[in-house]
Amino acid sequence: IIKGLGFHHIALKANDFEKSKEFYKALGLKEIVGWGEGDKSVLMFDLGDGGRLELFAGGSDEYQAEGKYMHFAMCCDDVDAAYEIALKAGATPFKEPKTVPLDSYPEKIAIRIAFVLGPSGEQLEFFKQV
């Protein structure tokens, strides 16, 4: 119905822009373009597969959106390694890596997942179908 429809980016308003910027760079995301300054700074990262993360400065612990995303999931080849890299980059452990068999349809699959909290308390999931 919508021609050319696809995923482009997810936006995150960071409590500490510089800390978040360095964290996502440590995960391997590449800076594409940035604009603005101070609390109006914005930086777009490439996730490596064409998807993007748009990082905004000026966040606070008080910000609450009416509708809220639960987490930001990134696919990867090795969930355990991604989890460890994120922890070394400053993430807080949230849910350790585990394999989850799903009672899914039309076929049964299993996934390997792990969760960390990023610098602004955002939930990040590392995901792989196994």
Side-chain angles (χ1 to χ4, degrees):
I1 294 175
I2 300 174
K3 294 181 181 184
L5 184 66
F7 178 79
H8 188 267
H9 73 269
I10 188 166
L12 171 67
K13 197 158 200 176
N15 297 345
D16 184 327
F17 185 78
E18 289 301 318
K19 186 176 180 181
S20 292
K21 174 182 166 181
E22 293 307 314
F23 173 75
Y24 285 104
K25 285 171 63 175
L27 295 185
L29 279 66
K30 304 285 185 232
E31 293 182 37
I32 298 171
V33 64
W35 59 92
E37 53 186 56
D39 280 350
K40 303 242 185 250
S41 295
V42 182
L43 182 59
M44 188 79 75
F45 286 98
D46 183 344
L47 296 169
D49 65 354
R52 297 177 178 190
L53 169 67
E54 187 177 23
L55 186 66
F56 286 82
S60 74
D61 292 330
E62 298 171 12
Y63 176 78
Q64 291 292 324
E66 289 296 320
K68 215 194 276 194
Y69 289 99
M70 291 175 50
H71 59 264
F72 168 36
M74 293 174 274
C75 58
C76 58
D77 292 335
D78 186 335
V79 168
D80 298 72
Y83 180 79
E84 291 302 322
I85 290 167
L87 295 181
K88 287 180 183 156
T92 302
F94 189 61
K95 294 181 183 176
E96 293 184 0
K98 67 180 179 178
T99 299
V100 180
L102 300 176
D103 187 21
S104 52
Y105 58 87
E107 62 183 283
K108 305 296 182 216
I109 65 168
I111 57 175
R112 182 108 179 124
I113 57 173
F115 289 83
V116 298
L117 300 178
S120 294
E122 69 275 21
Q123 284 187 40
L124 305 173
E125 177 184 13
F126 299 108
F127 178 98
K128 181 177 182 176
Q129 184 174 329
V130 292

